[in-house]
Amino acid sequence: MENLLVVLGGGTGLYVWIAGLPGVLLLAGAAVGNGRYAPFRLRILICTGLLYLSFVFFFLSFGLEEIEAVGSSARTAPRLWSAGLALFTLDQLRRIFTGRSPRDPEKGDIPRVFLTAGVVALALWGMDIAGYYISTGVMLLLLSLLLGERRPVVSLSLAGGWILFSWAVFSRLLNLNLPEGIFF
């Protein structure tokens, strides 16, 4: 079993995971069908894709080398992301299946999707210049505005809370170096 995890966690295993995503999404779409959960089909497909992605993060972490000199394993961060992503996705699925989630919208807001992708890409690019903390804080502020949050206290507390959480967990607890720009 360990050999299988190492193969699927290696570089060529990524191609297996990428090839498997359409099959998993097709199976989930077929399982939903036209029955009771058909109005939630897109939400279920998105949750299925996110769960699949969390399993990919987990299995790819087996391909990372163990380096104990830095105080934590290189496998820790992907496994934390995997666990968090799976936890919140399973909660969303629970809300769908218990009837507490709204139905899928009739049509999407494609320009907002492209703007969101642009903001995230700009933040990733900006990490080399401004550093992780500033880039992520600005990204979260812009995304909260883009998604319709107009209360400054909520937007600022979200950005500040994430920066504080990132600093405490990744820098202090796990001793991981986040990207540093010219300001940090």
Side-chain angles (χ1 to χ4, degrees), residues 50-129:
L50 289 174
L51 276 177
Y52 185 79
L53 187 62
S54 71
F55 288 120
V56 170
F57 284 162
F58 178 74
F59 283 116
L60 287 178
S61 70
F62 285 97
L64 298 173
E65 293 182 25
E66 285 288 335
I67 303 172
E68 295 296 331
V70 295
S72 67
S73 172
R75 298 176 178 182
T76 305
R79 289 179 181 172
L80 278 175
W81 282 108
S82 172
L85 184 60
L87 176 74
F88 288 115
T89 303
L90 288 172
D91 181 56
Q92 180 63 29
L93 282 172
R94 179 192 57 81
R95 291 179 57 206
I96 290 170
F97 292 131
T98 58
R100 295 182 185 168
S101 182
R103 294 174 177 255
D104 291 339
E106 293 297 323
K107 68 177 202 167
D109 190 359
I110 302 300
R112 189 181 294 185
V113 171
F114 284 122
L115 279 172
T116 302
V119 168
V120 172
L122 186 65
L124 290 173
W125 173 75
M127 283 184 197
D128 289 336
I129 298 168

